[in-house]
């Protein structure tokens, strides 16, 4: 029961030919023509979060856990972009959302408890049992969504399905189901589930962390925060309350602040690598295969 068992063998953990094949199949999901339609979803999810904040503020001064609220907003966005599924998770509880939160916390707790690094010990601990329950909820949810979409696609036919999506947001599940490699093979149900779980689990937490640090750093430097506000206000000029895809390239100072915050506080603070073969160094020493 690996610490990242909940993610399966998706892009984050796979390697070799499998990684290359999946990376090629998933590349279309990150094309600008796909991503630009998601901006509308991001705006909708952010509006829900802002409305919730305004309701809370009507009761007087209030202290908010920014990461908690932003994390729900990124989960809301990802569920809509990945499944076209409106969970209403920012306003009401959900077993799936609770399971994702549990997994996030349990992974960190396990890292800090050396005895739990051993699967046979962790499996029988209370946290280990909680981890398995959360994994089951997340995997069952994903599997059900994939099967329902697959059935709808088969009943309607691929061409009719693609035609019905023209001018609309094409979600991650659509792309996975319609992707084929050079031999005409599609992803298996298990492979699709692994990629969706990876996309959901890794996408919401890192994005929420990055956004929270950006807001913290801007609050710590009010002069830069005001300059960002002026830049956005000047761009919108009172004509709209939402930024569109084409507006994103017209915010140079805000973009610099975002990048500097990500440099200071990267959402992923460590990356591990394992040597797949012996590496000879210039001084004659050898880094042996298997070294992390």
């Amino acid at each position: 029961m690996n610490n990242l068992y909940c993610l399966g063998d998706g892009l984050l953990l796979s390697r070799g030919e499998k990684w290359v094949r999946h990376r090629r199949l998933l590349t279309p999901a990150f094309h600008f023509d796909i991503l630009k339609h998601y901006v509308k979803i991001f705006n909708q999810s952010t509006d829900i979060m802002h409305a919730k904040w305004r309701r809370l503020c009507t009761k007087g001064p209030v202290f908010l856990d920014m990461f908690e609220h932003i994390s729900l907003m990124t989960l809301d966005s990802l569920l809509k972009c990945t499944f076209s599924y409106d969970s209403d998770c920012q306003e009401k509880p959900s077993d799936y959302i609770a399971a994702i939160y549990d997994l996030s916390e349990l992974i960190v707790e396990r890292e800090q408890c050396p005895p739990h690094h051993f699967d046979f010990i962790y499996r029988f601990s209370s946290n280990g049992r909680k981890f398995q329950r959360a994994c089951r909820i997340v995997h069952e949810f994903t599997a059900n969504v994939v099967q329902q979409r697959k059935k709808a696609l088969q009943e309607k036919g691929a061409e009719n399905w693609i035609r019905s999506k023209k001018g609309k947001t094409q979600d991650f599940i659509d792309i996975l189901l319609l992707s084929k490699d050079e031999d005409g093979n599609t992803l298996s149900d298990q492979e699709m589930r692994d990629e969706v779980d990876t996309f959901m689990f890794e996408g919401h937490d890192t994005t929420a962390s990055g956004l929270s640090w950006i807001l913290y750093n801007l609050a710590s430097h009010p002069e830069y925060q005001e300059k960002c506000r002026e830049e956005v206000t000047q761009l919108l000029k009172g004509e709209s309350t939402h930024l569109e895809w084409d507006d994103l390239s017209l915010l140079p100072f805000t973009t610099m602040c975002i990048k500097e915050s990500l440099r200071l506080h990267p959402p992923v603070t460590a990356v591990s690598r394992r040597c797949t073969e012996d590496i000879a160094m210039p001084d004659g020493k050898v880094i042996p295969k298997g070294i992390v």
Side-chain angles (χ1 to χ4, degrees):
M1 185 171 58
N2 184 281
N3 206 19
L4 292 177
Y5 158 77
C6 55
L7 301 184
D9 197 24
L11 271 182
L12 181 69
L13 301 176
S14 61
R15 55 186 176 177
E17 292 182 5
K18 181 176 182 178
W19 183 91
V20 173
R21 175 174 177 262
H22 284 214
R23 183 69 181 87
R24 190 180 299 119
L25 287 171
L26 266 63
T27 294
F30 303 98
H31 191 279
F32 289 153
D33 287 340
I34 298 293
L35 296 178
K36 65 184 179 183
H37 292 291
Y38 292 158
V39 175
K40 181 179 180 180
I41 292 175
F42 300 154
N43 283 328
Q44 290 171 347
S45 297
T46 306
D47 284 346
I48 294 171
M49 182 177 69
H50 287 165
K52 185 164 61 172
W53 288 354
R54 282 193 291 270
R55 287 200 306 271
L56 292 170
C57 290
T58 58
K59 302 175 183 178
V62 61
F63 292 94
L64 300 176
D65 182 339
M66 295 298 289
F67 181 77
E68 177 185 343
H69 286 258
I70 292 174
S71 184
L72 284 172
M73 183 271 290
T74 58
L75 270 171
D76 188 22
S77 298
L78 269 177
L79 284 166
K80 291 170 181 172
C81 295
T82 306
F83 305 123
S84 294
Y85 177 68
D86 188 356
S87 66
D88 199 21
C89 65
Q90 296 193 71
E91 300 288 359
K92 65 182 183 181
S94 156
D95 289 342
Y96 177 74
I97 301 302
I100 286 184
Y101 275 120
D102 284 343
L103 289 173
S104 299
E105 293 176 2
L106 289 167
I107 286 173
V108 174
E109 288 179 13
R110 187 180 184 186
E111 290 289 339
Q112 297 170 349
C113 181
H116 284 178
H117 291 187
F118 299 96
D119 285 349
F120 70 93
I121 295 177
Y122 188 64
R123 186 178 291 109
F124 295 105
S125 68
S126 59
N127 272 6
R129 291 192 293 271
K130 189 176 180 181
F131 181 87
Q132 291 179 72
R133 284 196 300 272
C135 282
R136 186 166 57 252
I137 291 170
V138 170
H139 290 165
E140 287 177 355
F141 176 87
T142 306
N144 287 337
V145 172
V146 170
Q147 285 303 317
Q148 289 173 13
R149 185 64 60 83
K150 194 172 184 179
K151 183 180 178 181
L153 185 60
Q154 289 171 343
E155 290 176 351
K156 197 165 187 177
E159 290 186 8
N160 289 332
W161 186 268
I162 294 171
R163 197 177 299 116
S164 71
K165 284 286 183 174
K166 281 194 174 181
K168 300 179 182 178
T169 302
Q170 189 174 22
D171 60 33
F172 194 60
I173 289 289
D174 285 337
I175 294 165
L176 289 180
L177 286 170
L178 296 170
S179 295
K180 294 183 179 181
D181 60 21
E182 55 272 16
D183 297 322
N185 298 317
T186 60
L187 293 173
S188 68
D189 289 351
Q190 180 65 47
E191 288 173 328
M192 279 190 282
R193 195 195 78 179
D194 290 347
E195 295 300 349
V196 171
D197 286 340
T198 297
F199 194 69
M200 284 299 304
F201 189 80
E202 291 297 305
H204 95 272
D205 191 68
T206 53
T207 306
S209 176
L211 288 171
S212 297
W213 278 113
I214 289 165
L215 293 177
Y216 170 82
N217 286 320
L218 287 175
S220 300
H221 298 85
E223 68 277 19
Y224 299 142
Q225 179 175 261
E226 184 57 33
K227 194 168 181 179
C228 289
R229 182 180 288 110
E230 289 175 0
E231 187 174 59
V232 173
T233 302
Q234 181 62 28
L235 178 62
L236 295 177
K237 294 179 180 176
E239 297 176 2
S240 172
T241 57
H242 293 144
L243 291 171
E244 304 297 336
W245 174 265
D246 293 335
D247 296 327
L248 301 180
S249 61
L250 304 177
L251 299 166
F253 185 78
T254 302
T255 300
M256 286 191 288
C257 289
I258 291 171
K259 289 181 176 180
E260 179 63 4
S261 180
L262 292 172
R263 184 188 70 82
L264 291 170
H265 305 285
V268 180
T269 56
V271 178
S272 62
R273 292 286 186 268
R274 184 188 300 273
C275 294
T276 57
E277 58 185 37
D278 292 347
I279 300 176
M281 304 301 288
D283 60 2
K285 294 179 180 178
V286 176
I287 300 176
K289 176 181 177 180
I291 289 293
V292 178

